[in-house]
Amino acid sequence: MSYRAIAACMLVLSLVFAGVGLVHAQTAKAKEDTKKEEKNDDKKEEKKDDEKKDEVKYLTHEEAEETMETMEKAWNKLKMNLKNKRGDVVAEQADIIAEHAAKFKKYDGLVLTGDEKGKKARDQKDFTEWLDKLEEAAKEISKQAGKSKWDKVDKAKEEASDTCGKCHDLYQPEEED
Ligand code: HEC
């Protein structure tokens, strides 16, 4: 073979190698890019999860019923012990009612009738106002029962009991079978 032919061969070979090298480099880069993208996606997912953690947890139907059942039990116990003037027990039950009134602001049920039908009950002004009123009245009962101020307890008890019926008339769904 002549030198010229050899040189030509070398040139062709080096071009081929360079080409292969280039292709390699490019696929490697492409791979890295997809990896980076995947990582970004992971980060996005993590962010989404964080956002979920911050979301308010509303009560399930069962939790809503439990909250109200606890409220009723406390309410009955309160009335019974008020008759016996057991201030400490009355105060204890009133605290439970106040706590559960606040909890019920996360009620997830809907408005049943009227113009606002189908909207969230918790977004209605009267609904939250009754819960605020109940919470305040329960706290007042707790405070006054601790001091055996029975007149004041009775007054707050009337205010509290008023909210139960008013709210149920509008927002408590019919019993399901
Ligand atoms: C701001 C509105 C509101 C107030 C105030 C309120 N409730 Fe309720 N209550 C509801 C709603 C809504 C339901 C229906 C819950 C469900 O079934 O999802 C309910 C249901 C109930 C139930 C039935 C629970 C069950 O297992 O189905 C009882 C008992 C009850 N409430 C007692 C009380 C008592 C006692 C008070 C006052 C001390 C009170 N509630 C104050 C809205 C209220």
Side-chain angles (χ1 to χ4, degrees):
M1 236 191 272
S2 70
Y3 276 119
R4 219 179 259 184
I6 289 170
C9 272
M10 297 277 267
L11 187 67
V12 168
L13 274 178
S14 64
L15 281 176
V16 167
F17 273 122
V20 169
L22 203 68
V23 169
H24 256 295
Q26 265 172 357
T27 38
K29 191 171 180 299
K31 264 189 201 158
E32 224 171 75
D33 282 352
T34 41
K35 253 193 209 160
K36 264 187 207 156
E37 266 166 35
E38 275 167 16
K39 256 196 196 156
N40 279 344
D41 281 351
D42 281 354
K43 268 191 199 147
K44 268 185 217 155
E45 285 297 320
E46 275 169 29
K47 220 179 170 188
K48 257 191 218 154
D49 284 347
D50 281 348
E51 275 167 18
K52 259 187 213 150
K53 266 182 228 151
D54 290 341
E55 267 172 32
V56 193
K57 286 260 191 323
Y58 294 109
L59 301 175
T60 63
H61 180 62
E62 286 73 26
E63 285 168 340
E65 286 194 336
E66 255 175 48
T67 306
M68 279 295 150
E69 277 159 19
T70 310
M71 192 114 95
E72 185 175 49
K73 259 191 216 153
W75 186 243
N76 289 336
K77 226 173 159 180
L78 186 153
K79 284 190 287 188
M80 241 169 49
N81 285 279
L82 190 54
K83 278 189 200 143
N84 309 329
K85 303 229 184 319
R86 288 282 311 271
D88 51 345
V89 185
V90 170
E92 202 179 273
Q93 299 310 312
D95 289 342
I96 294 174
I97 293 171
E99 185 195 319
H100 285 78
K103 193 175 166 189
F104 208 67
K105 283 195 177 165
K106 304 267 160 55
Y107 179 57
D108 207 29
L110 305 176
V111 181
L112 306 168
T113 52
D115 292 345
E116 302 290 295
K117 186 174 172 178
K119 293 190 181 165
K120 296 288 184 188
R122 63 170 180 271
D123 292 335
Q124 306 305 306
K125 201 165 166 252
D126 54 0
F127 186 89
T128 53
E129 276 175 1
W130 283 322
L131 288 175
D132 284 338
K133 220 178 141 192
L134 178 57
E135 189 184 353
E136 265 170 46
K139 282 182 176 164
E140 172 75 0
I141 293 172
S142 177
K143 188 175 144 194
Q144 302 300 344
K147 297 193 270 184
S148 299
K149 303 257 184 192
W150 304 115
D151 282 357
K152 286 186 177 167
V153 172
D154 279 339
K155 193 170 161 266
K157 187 189 142 226
E158 288 312 311
E159 281 168 16
S161 132
D162 196 42
T163 69
C164 310
K166 279 188 176 158
C167 187
H168 291 162
D169 284 349
L170 272 182
Y171 293 107
Q172 184 178 14
E174 298 283 328
E175 277 298 311
E176 71 248 74
D177 301 312

